[in-house]
Amino acid sequence: MIVSIVTNPYLVTMLITLGLIGVGLEFFSPGFGVPGIIGLGAFALYFFGTYMAGSSGWGTLALFVAGGILLILEIFVLAFGVLGILGFSAMVGAIISAASSVWMGVVSLAIGIVLAALILWLAIRLFGLKPSWNKLILQSSQKNEQGYTSSEDRRELLGKIGVTITPLRPSGFAEFDGQREDVVSEGDIVPHGAKVKVIRVEGARVVVRKVEDQ
């Protein structure tokens, strides 16, 4: 009974879509959180159903996990997208091969990719897809002159020089005086371990520029 429910074509498509959205959000926003948990949970349920139905085995799961590891490495290693492409390809292959039929796997995955891409696009356009999810929270306009202060205001970082601890594409993490901070570059890709200077602070948004060693 459970197997028939989990392997239902409509539920399979929904699980794949949720999984892709979770992975996509974690890829664009470094740091494991709720989207990653939901995505991994959806994929775990999908592979559990296909395993119980006998259409997949440990090899398929291993291929999927290997793809996930490559995607994680892409976040921390500047590989110009090579690891990400390999990881995504491995995960796609695992998802299709785990389905009850190649046709069902391809169709479910295609629908999932389209829906996930649409939702991710909307998240980027509407919310900025920031790691701290600040734009998902309603923020009223409150002036410091009126007695309001924001705990997210990080103007004290302005002008400071730090070192990136993840690549910036353009968002990522940098360390200033031993403190880990969410930062964003001016649009350029900045590699891990590069010196950066805070040139602008917009509330919780910290904009940095790469500093060349003199």
Side-chain angles (χ1 to χ4, degrees), residues 161-175:
I161 295 179
V163 179
T164 58
I165 55 179
T166 67
L168 307 184
R169 297 191 181 93
S171 64
F173 295 95
E175 186 175 282

Side-chain angles (χ1 to χ4, degrees), residues 82-104:
V82 174
L83 294 179
I85 293 173
L86 291 176
F88 185 76
S89 299
M91 295 176 72
V92 166
I95 292 172
I96 293 176
S97 62
S100 58
S101 68
V102 174
W103 173 249
M104 177 181 173

